[in-house]
Amino acid sequence: MKDCRITAMLALLLVCTLFTGLVALTAGAAYAAAPEIEFTELERQYIASRGPVEVLCCEEWSPLMFKGEEGEPAGVLADMAELISAKSGLEFSYKWAPSNAAALDAVQSGHSDVKCGMVSGGNVHELSAYFTRHYLVLELMLVGGPGVAEGERRIGTVSRYSGYDVIHGDNVEYVYFQSSEECFKALDRGEVDEIIVNSFASGFYHSQTKYGSYMYTPLQGESSSICMAVRGDDKLLCSILDKAILAIDNGERNSIIVKNTLEAGNSLIALLNRIPTVTVIIIFAVFIGSLLVATMFVSRYMRKTREAKEAIERANKRLITDELTGLLNERGFASLARETLEMFPDQKWFIVDFDIDCFEHFNAAKGFTRGNAILRAIAEVTRNACIYPGELCARVYADHFVCIATAQSTDQLRERALAGNAAFRSATGNLSILLNYGIYEIADLTEDVSIMCDRALSAKRTVKGSYGNIIGIYDEELHRQQIEDSELVAYMETALNNGEFVAYYQPKYDIQSEKIAGAEALARWKHPKGDITPPDRFIKLFEKNGLIDKLDMYILEVVCKKLREQIDAGLRAVPVSVNFSRNHLYDDGFVHQLTSTLERYDIAPSCIEVEFTETTFFENGQRLVSVIEALHNAGLLVSIDDFGSGFSSLNMLKDIKFDIVKLDRGFLDVTTTSQRGKTVISSVLSLARELRLSTVAEGVETREQLEFLRENGCDMVQGFFFSGPVPAEEYDRILAGERV
């Protein structure tokens, strides 16, 4: 009868266990797609990119941890580690260490990631490692014979790392052992009077007949708190494990303890034998009925919670993620970079800005689909081969990427950049594409992230177009130049109001008659003391901050005023070309503002030539076509400046209806020094004639160049052979027939 009752109770226990598992499975399914833990985006990226975490185990923790039948970690600590792994989303790879001390040394030196099983408190603050919050608290037990003699007491306990020496006194002597098992053996041999072990170990050994006769006394207020030790250079890992531990509820923790207690041979069956069968059946029936009702409500609640969390997760991810590459966007980078710096203030951090050299020309030649594929390839290589766990990378816009990285030195980071460049070229089939990098070592962690990125960008700009060096470093000289730039920008509005910007005019000569046929207006910054700041010092700077738009319109106003003065004075007036930044392409009011200025001074549209640089034609082809059409409708001529300075495309000559082609001076220098070069420029001039485009050659300095251009049908020339840029008064004298 007794055996039948045991069998019945075990059967009911099995049914209950299976049903409980079913409920857990249902709840687990509801939670599967909705993480219980609110990891930060930085932590989620770490989890996604992190490989297996090496966790060291030690048999000195027996019976809390021991080797299973196949050598795998088993016991309470092993099961808790598996639960933490599941909660965190990190994969744990277990390895046995010869001792507690060896395991701790490996973690402190960075050779392993985590030590499984570490008693918090004691001297842990002196160790070079992080420690998680505790995930298991066990009471301490004093175990000994019924009559411990007065006088000196020898107490055995585990090693000093465990902090179990909690009884103090002049007559107390501690003897340290490597494990709880050794403590019990020493007690049995009479080597110590008493031992202090945790409650789990005492329960385990108490069930063995050999140690059943000893007295087991709880030490009130004394407990052992178990945590994990984490390598000292990976605070992010410790933060993730902490959140996983916080997500463990008492039910999960208790089920692990009960499971291991049963496996260790606790007498639960003996306890069941003392309870009437009918009582057990009633309890289980009530329990199962309650679970049935609860399951319906829990499942419904879980599903709605999951759906809400999924929607929030998707929305949050879209806010900080670049759709094309899957990297962070500018907003996400600024937020997470700040979080990273605040979390790891003791590390040396750098901002790395990089892009593809002349990517706009690649897009123009190969198309945007191919260009986007290249951007995705860069993102993939960067994500998998260039950034380490805890570092961040974002695509800010177009081909512009930025990373926050840690390294021992700038040289080390330079090597990483070169390796990344090589990996990218390999991944894309060794395309003849170069990446340019700018590196800024963060000196002030409280500085705004946007300022850090600007400094890395400034460093990158110093190597643009320099094929011998693709990595620029932000240094003191660059910092000084940035301060000067800031001062120039701050003073520009005042300079405009004071009339400090003036137009210099460089005449264009008809190549056949060698008479002035037009001129180009060039901006100069003339300070009150007479000093002149050359345009290469401020034009690009103003393009960056948008002040160039005001300057362009200011110079147009100056030119219109000069033309009106010439016309009113009965002097000869020729068409003047005015340079306009690419920024104007995106200003819907550009053409109206331009024509309004001409009307205000009563200047015919044929007197003004709108000039864009060659690179503008690669920015946004469709937008450019519509702007040129509007300019033509207003009666204005459009020219392309610096043709041949970059990656000029014959398709551009065919597809975009501008009126005048200006050959860049550098193009002329190179092409007229060899027969092959002469053939090239001759072909360009011939094609321009076929397309009925006027041609202007810049940088003509010799009679030989002039004669070559004349022979090949160039329309106008501009250069120091005739005249360089001159002030307005001198230009008037030239127009009047005087030569410089």
Side-chain angles (χ1 to χ4, degrees):
M1 180 66 184
K2 183 178 179 181
D3 291 339
C4 292
R5 187 170 43 172
I6 293 173
T7 303
M9 285 184 284
L10 287 176
L12 283 170
L13 179 61
L14 178 60
V15 171
C16 179
T17 303
L18 290 173
F19 190 81
T20 304
L22 180 61
V23 174
L25 187 61
T26 303
Y31 268 120
E36 299 174 358
I37 306 170
E38 294 294 331
F39 290 119
T40 66
E41 181 62 26
L42 186 64
E43 289 167 338
R44 283 195 291 271
Q45 287 198 359
Y46 180 97
I47 293 167
S49 61
R50 173 66 200 240
V53 177
E54 185 174 279
V55 178
L56 292 183
C57 306
C58 181
E59 285 191 278
E60 291 179 7
W61 275 99
S62 176
L64 288 172
M65 176 177 285
F66 53 89
K67 285 186 179 179
E69 293 179 359
E70 297 181 3
E72 79 283 1
V76 172
L77 294 188
D79 288 350
M80 289 297 294
E82 278 297 284
L83 182 58
I84 293 169
S85 171
K87 293 276 187 183
S88 67
L90 293 167
E91 179 187 352
F92 283 3
S93 172
Y94 298 99
K95 183 178 179 182
W96 287 101
S99 66
N100 262 321
L104 189 59
D105 288 343
V107 170
Q108 289 189 96
S109 63
H111 290 112
S112 290
D113 299 313
V114 174
K115 177 182 180 293
C116 182
M118 183 76 194
V119 175
S120 57
N123 62 343
V124 295
H125 64 280
E126 301 172 1
L127 306 175
S128 55
Y130 291 115
F131 297 92
T132 67
R133 62 182 65 249
H134 64 261
Y135 55 87
L136 201 60
V137 179
L138 300 174
E139 288 186 350
L140 296 185
M141 303 288 289
L142 181 65
V143 183
V148 178
E150 293 295 329
E152 190 169 311
R153 300 168 65 186
R154 288 171 58 82
I155 301 176
T157 188
V158 290
S159 81
R160 290 184 185 274
Y161 289 120
S162 299
Y164 285 4
D165 44 352
V166 294
I167 296 177
H168 305 286
D170 295 336
N171 63 333
V172 176
E173 177 189 356
Y174 278 96
V175 181
Y176 295 99
F177 299 96
Q178 292 299 314
S179 67
S180 298
E181 182 180 11
E182 290 185 19
C183 288
F184 272 95
K185 288 180 179 178
L187 179 63
D188 195 50
R189 291 193 299 265
E191 296 175 10
V192 293
D193 302 309
E194 298 163 298
I195 61 173
I196 296 175
V197 294
N198 63 61
S199 56
F200 189 91
S202 67
F204 177 85
Y205 291 107
H206 179 265
S207 66
Q208 300 181 21
T209 306
K210 185 177 182 180
Y211 304 117
S213 61
Y214 290 109
M215 293 181 62
Y216 292 77
T217 307
L219 292 173
Q220 295 297 325
E222 301 292 350
S223 61
S224 170
S225 298
I226 312 299
C227 65
M228 286 180 164
V230 182
R231 57 189 296 167
D233 60 354
D234 204 342
K235 188 176 181 181
L236 198 57
L237 174 59
C238 189
S239 172
I240 293 168
L241 296 179
D242 270 345
K243 290 186 177 181
I245 291 167
L246 272 176
I248 297 172
D249 61 42
N250 287 332
E252 292 170 315
R253 187 179 286 104
N254 291 340
S255 67
I256 287 176
I257 294 173
V258 168
K259 169 199 165 190
N260 283 275
T261 303
L262 287 172
E263 289 176 354
N266 263 11
S267 55
L268 180 59
I269 292 177
L271 177 62
L272 287 173
N273 283 333
R274 295 195 293 269
I275 301 175
T277 305
V278 175
T279 304
V280 174
I281 292 173
I282 292 172
I283 292 171
F284 282 153
V286 172
F287 177 68
I288 291 172
S290 301
L291 283 177
L292 281 170
V293 175
T295 299
M296 293 188 294
F297 289 101
V298 169
S299 178
R300 194 171 174 185
Y301 173 77
M302 294 293 187
R303 185 178 68 254
K304 290 188 175 294
T305 302
R306 180 197 68 218
E307 291 170 354
K309 285 189 176 182
E310 284 177 346
I312 294 170
E313 285 284 326
R314 286 194 300 271
N316 288 340
K317 189 170 184 180
R318 281 197 298 270
L319 286 174
I320 64 171
T321 303
D322 173 54
E323 289 186 15
L324 178 65
T325 63
L327 297 176
L328 293 170
N329 59 20
E330 184 175 13
R331 174 180 179 175
F333 181 81
S335 173
L336 295 182
R338 170 55 52 206
E339 183 181 319
T340 298
L341 295 174
E342 290 173 355
M343 186 173 287
F344 304 105
D346 298 330
Q347 295 192 29
K348 184 178 286 189
W349 290 101
F350 298 82
I351 296 291
V352 182
D353 185 292
F354 64 96
D355 65 8
I356 302 174
D357 195 43
C358 299
F359 185 63
E360 64 273 17
H361 306 310
F362 180 89
N363 266 339
K366 303 293 185 180
F368 286 100
T369 300
R370 185 81 184 280
N372 286 344
I374 292 296
L375 295 177
R376 283 191 290 267
I378 287 182
E380 191 66 20
V381 170
T382 302
R383 187 164 35 229
N384 296 331
C386 299
I387 61 172
Y388 298 161
E391 299 178 343
L392 303 171
C393 186
R395 174 177 172 256
V396 181
Y397 61 85
D399 63 321
H400 182 189
F401 295 81
V402 64
C403 297
I404 183 168
T406 182
Q408 295 301 314
S409 65
T410 303
D411 289 339
Q412 186 184 67
L413 202 58
R414 186 198 300 268
E415 292 302 314
R416 283 177 59 184
L418 291 173
N421 196 45
F424 165 69
R425 292 167 71 87
S426 175
T428 53
N430 288 318
L431 292 169
S432 56
I433 292 178
L434 283 176
L435 296 182
N436 292 130
Y437 296 86
I439 297 175
Y440 167 62
E441 181 179 346
I442 300 174
D444 180 4
L445 298 184
T446 63
E447 200 170 46
D448 192 271
V449 173
S450 63
I451 294 176
M452 300 176 186
C453 292
D454 282 344
R455 290 179 175 174
L457 177 61
S458 297
K460 181 185 69 179
R461 285 175 174 158
T462 64
V463 297
K464 275 291 189 180
S466 174
Y467 292 94
N469 180 20
I470 62 171
I471 301 175
I473 307 297
Y474 188 89
D475 54 19
E476 286 301 320
E477 175 59 27
L478 198 53
H479 183 61
R480 183 191 61 76
Q481 184 175 321
Q482 280 200 317
I483 292 175
E484 290 182 5
D485 289 349
S486 298
E487 292 173 350
L488 284 176
V489 170
Y491 184 62
M492 186 210 170
E493 294 279 0
T494 302
L496 277 173
N497 295 332
N498 292 344
E500 294 180 23
F501 288 96
V502 297
Y504 272 42
Y505 297 85
Q506 185 170 25
K508 303 175 190 176
Y509 288 81
D510 179 273
I511 201 165
Q512 299 300 331
S513 65
E514 297 189 14
K515 300 294 184 181
I516 295 176
E520 179 181 7
L522 301 165
R524 296 291 186 270
W525 190 344
K526 189 174 182 180
H527 298 276
K529 293 183 179 180
D531 297 334
I532 292 180
T533 300
D536 60 355
R537 185 68 187 86
F538 62 84
I539 292 294
K540 288 185 178 180
L541 179 62
F542 290 173
E543 281 181 342
K544 176 185 173 184
N545 59 29
L547 292 175
I548 192 67
D549 299 352
K550 288 186 177 181
L551 179 61
D552 289 347
M553 288 300 172
Y554 177 85
I555 294 298
L556 174 66
E557 186 113 13
V558 170
V559 169
C560 288
K561 185 177 180 181
K562 165 59 68 178
L563 286 169
R564 176 42 50 198
E565 289 173 354
Q566 290 173 335
I567 293 169
D568 290 347
L571 300 175
R572 182 180 170 215
V574 296
V576 179
S577 61
V578 180
N579 292 282
F580 288 93
S581 162
R582 69 189 76 181
N583 295 4
H584 295 289
L585 293 179
Y586 306 99
D587 179 6
D588 292 335
F590 168 56
V591 177
H592 175 72
Q593 189 176 1
L594 198 155
T595 54
S596 296
T597 304
L598 267 62
E599 290 170 1
R600 189 163 59 253
Y601 288 93
D602 194 20
I603 300 298
S606 58
C607 291
I608 294 294
E609 182 183 310
V610 178
E611 194 166 294
F612 294 112
T613 60
E614 179 197 74
T615 53
T616 304
F617 290 77
F618 292 102
E619 288 286 317
N620 187 331
Q622 192 57 47
R623 179 69 180 169
L624 180 63
V625 168
S626 63
V627 170
I628 289 178
E629 184 179 355
L631 291 170
H632 283 163
N633 291 338
L636 293 155
L637 296 178
V638 181
S639 65
I640 173 174
D641 193 15
D642 300 333
F643 186 84
S645 63
F647 291 80
S648 304
S649 169
L650 295 181
N651 284 333
M652 182 174 64
L653 295 177
K654 174 175 68 71
D655 297 335
I656 300 177
K657 296 180 180 179
F658 45 83
D659 308 288
I660 301 161
V661 178
K662 296 186 69 176
L663 302 180
D664 183 69
R665 70 187 68 241
F667 184 57
L668 184 64
D669 287 342
V670 173
T671 53
T672 56
T673 56
S674 68
Q675 186 56 47
R676 186 182 182 91
K678 291 178 179 180
T679 302
V680 171
I681 198 169
S682 176
S683 299
V684 172
L685 291 169
S686 176
L687 179 61
R689 280 197 308 276
E690 291 293 326
L691 296 172
R692 297 185 180 182
L693 299 174
S694 297
T695 51
V696 180
E698 297 180 295
V700 177
E701 297 181 357
T702 67
R703 172 63 66 176
E704 179 187 3
Q705 290 174 333
L706 178 66
E707 294 303 328
F708 169 76
L709 292 167
R710 197 196 321 264
E711 291 170 7
N712 285 277
C714 186
D715 297 311
M716 288 183 282
V717 292
Q718 181 180 355
F720 282 91
F721 181 76
F722 289 103
S723 172
V726 294
E729 301 79 9
E730 202 164 337
Y731 172 62
D732 285 340
R733 287 197 299 271
I734 295 174
L735 275 178
E738 299 179 24
R739 294 290 298 271
V740 177

